[in-house]
Amino acid sequence: MTVNQIVSYEKEKAQCNKRKRAKYDEVYENGETKLAVMERALDIQANLSSEFPSMIKYMLPSHVTGGFWLGLPKHFCLNHLPKEDRMMVLEDEEGKEFQVKYLVEKIGLSGGWRAFSIAHKLLEGDVCVFHLVRPSKFKVYIVRKKCSEEVDVALGLLKLESSTQLVDNGKTEDRNDPILYSSNLEPTVDQSKNNRVDLGSEVSDGIRLSESIVDFREVKSFEDFNILVNGLVIDFEFSKYLQMKYYELCCNQNSFLHENLLEGLNCKLVAGVIAETINIADAIRAAKLTTPHDSFLTWDKTLRSFEGLGMKVGFLRARLDKLMNLLTKSRRYKEAKLEQANSNEEKLKLEAKLAEVTHTLTKLDREIRLFKQENADDLEALFREVANGPW
């Protein structure tokens, strides 16, 4: 390739990239909207397991209308996707799976992508985060251009979900798959080891339908207590310990804290909200004056998001408000004590200086009195007399 050809190629490449940037910019009303969507997508990607590769795709009109063609980053496809055309699986946040056709030469998703896009009502400006949890399976997280509080809550619980549930949900992968099964796609067996929420022990047999809607006033003991979401009993999502902790919180408020949650929320999301509410309640109980102020702010922000979904956490926020007021008073008290100590130290220095100045003044007063006794006013005449006297 000649120098001119190289220069021409680079110019054409730069113009192509400029056109792509212009397309992305056109789908957002302003820079703030674009930045907000990007930040949420990047936050989701940062919270995904690093054991699996991921990528971010911004939805353009061609992705969600008309041809419904989704081109993918070339470098990602070369490094992680099959080397031949094949069907792949897209799994959404609720666990529903969609079959799509991956075309190697065209580097993108074709057949099946239209169904996924329509089913999830994707619009231009929305962002999809693709997490390659298996060689031919993506877990897809959607960030809406017009976000809601539910998005913030889902983002806040993403760490919880990823650390308490293995990506393969107990299914096995065919190791004879013609695609090279890379070691960096293996799920981490012990990835929930350090999880704050214990969802793994003493769980029930699984989800079941509730025979009727239960009023909390009918709950007379822990044995009568069940956690219902959309008519389903989800006790199996929690250990007995967490169920007891939640029962105590509900007894304290004489109601199910989750009974006013928005209808249709994913059971996993609701379980995460409840579990995190228990964690925050325990953290509040264990808080001390030495607990960082930022921790209180984080808890309150999380609870505020839960409150937006309908969770009854106002009593926890009220307790946090009182604790933050006391923390502010304690901090001001410590600052006042320090200022007092510094002021006292400065006072001692000034008093020492004043004593020194007073001593100097006293000494000077004494000298002046002596001079007056010696008729100091005639000293100049005496000085002249001595100066002009005979040799």
Side-chain angles (χ1 to χ4, degrees):
M1 184 179 289
T2 65
V3 174
N4 290 335
Q5 288 175 323
I6 294 175
V7 172
S8 177
Y9 170 76
E10 290 298 329
K11 286 183 177 179
E12 183 178 349
K13 182 179 178 182
Q15 290 175 353
C16 180
N17 290 335
K18 186 176 181 180
R19 287 194 297 270
K20 287 182 179 180
R21 287 195 298 271
K23 287 182 180 179
Y24 285 121
D25 291 338
E26 288 172 1
V27 301
Y28 298 103
E29 290 84 358
N30 53 62
E32 293 182 359
T33 303
K34 180 181 178 182
L35 181 61
V37 174
M38 290 176 61
E39 286 181 346
R40 290 200 305 276
L42 290 172
D43 282 342
I44 289 177
Q45 187 180 41
N47 288 325
L48 296 176
S49 170
S50 58
E51 295 294 325
F52 306 94
S54 61
M55 63 177 175
I56 294 175
K57 282 294 297 182
Y58 297 85
M59 296 296 103
L60 296 175
S62 60
H63 299 152
V64 296
T65 58
F68 287 96
W69 163 258
L70 184 69
L72 302 177
K74 185 176 182 180
H75 65 89
F76 186 93
C77 296
L78 291 175
N79 293 329
H80 305 294
L81 294 189
K83 307 303 180 185
E84 57 185 17
D85 295 353
R86 68 172 300 165
M87 297 302 295
M88 298 188 68
V89 175
L90 302 183
E91 180 184 345
D92 63 20
E93 292 157 277
E94 295 183 354
K96 188 175 181 180
E97 296 184 348
F98 295 77
Q99 297 285 331
V100 295
K101 181 73 173 181
Y102 170 63
L103 302 177
V104 176
E105 290 188 3
K106 293 188 176 180
I107 316 177
L109 303 180
S110 181
W113 169 250
R114 181 178 185 275
F116 182 89
S117 177
I118 293 176
H120 294 86
K121 299 178 181 179
L122 293 178
L123 301 174
E124 58 180 278
D126 291 343
V127 178
C128 291
V129 182
F130 292 83
H131 197 200
L132 189 65
V133 296
R134 294 186 196 170
S136 57
K137 180 178 180 179
F138 281 110
K139 178 78 172 179
V140 184
Y141 301 90
I142 299 172
V143 178
R144 303 292 180 183
K145 178 182 176 182
K146 294 183 178 179
C147 66
S148 66
E149 287 183 326
E150 292 181 43
V151 174
D152 296 329
V153 174
L155 175 58
L157 293 172
L158 187 57
K159 288 182 179 179
L160 177 64
E161 181 182 347
S162 64
S163 61
T164 57
Q165 181 183 24
L166 291 176
V167 178
D168 61 2
N169 291 320
K171 300 176 183 177
T172 57
E173 181 73 18
D174 183 6
R175 297 302 174 128
N176 295 320
D177 194 298
I179 306 171
L180 179 61
Y181 198 96
S182 176
S183 60
N184 71 341
L185 295 179
E186 281 281 280
T188 303
V189 176
D190 196 30
Q191 69 188 76
S192 62
K193 186 174 182 180
N194 297 320
N195 184 28
R196 289 168 54 206
V197 181
D198 176 18
L199 299 180
S201 62
E202 302 180 46
V203 295
S204 303
D205 294 332
I207 197 166
R208 67 180 189 274
L209 290 171
S210 173
E211 296 180 358
S212 62
I213 299 176
V214 180
D215 191 296
F216 189 80
R217 289 173 294 185
E218 300 174 11
V219 178
K220 305 302 180 183
S221 66
F222 178 67
E223 285 67 28
D224 302 330
F225 182 74
N226 292 118
I227 304 173
L228 275 63
V229 177
N230 301 324
L232 302 175
V233 179
I234 63 168
D235 293 357
F236 78 102
E237 292 283 354
F238 307 90
S239 67
K240 290 296 182 183
Y241 171 77
L242 285 181
Q243 290 179 43
M244 178 61 75
K245 297 288 288 187
Y246 187 53
Y247 171 69
E248 292 172 356
L249 287 174
C250 291
C251 285
N252 179 269
Q253 298 301 304
N254 197 31
S255 66
F256 292 105
L257 303 187
H258 66 284
E259 65 183 2
N260 292 331
L261 282 174
L262 299 175
E263 294 184 4
L265 289 181
N266 183 278
C267 290
K268 293 287 184 183
L269 177 61
V270 175
V273 169
I274 292 173
E276 191 63 12
T277 298
I278 297 170
N279 282 332
I280 293 175
D282 285 345
I284 292 174
R285 287 286 192 191
K288 301 177 180 179
L289 284 174
T290 53
T291 301
H293 188 256
D294 287 345
S295 296
F296 290 93
L297 294 177
T298 300
W299 298 336
D300 186 64
K301 181 179 179 181
T302 303
L303 292 175
R304 187 169 64 250
S305 296
F306 292 172
E307 208 168 33
L309 290 177
M311 192 74 173
K312 293 181 178 180
V313 291
F315 69 104
L316 293 176
R317 293 194 66 200
R319 179 69 60 86
L320 273 175
D321 187 57
K322 290 180 180 179
L323 290 177
M324 284 191 285
N325 285 335
L326 291 173
L327 186 64
T328 300
K329 290 180 180 179
S330 173
R331 180 186 299 169
R332 181 54 195 153
Y333 172 74
K334 292 179 180 179
E335 291 175 350
K337 292 283 288 184
L338 181 60
E339 290 177 10
Q340 183 185 51
N342 292 336
S343 296
N344 284 332
E345 184 178 353
E346 189 67 23
K347 178 184 176 183
L348 291 175
K349 291 180 180 179
L350 292 174
E351 287 176 345
K353 185 66 176 177
L354 179 61
E356 181 182 347
V357 172
T358 301
H359 176 72
T360 301
L361 287 173
T362 302
K363 180 180 178 182
L364 292 174
D365 286 342
R366 188 168 53 251
E367 291 181 4
I368 290 173
R369 284 197 299 270
L370 289 174
F371 282 130
K372 285 184 176 180
Q373 291 175 2
E374 296 175 358
N375 198 13
D377 293 336
D378 297 332
L379 285 177
E380 184 175 354
L382 181 60
F383 180 86
R384 296 307 308 164
E385 181 181 345
V386 172
N388 294 324
W391 299 111

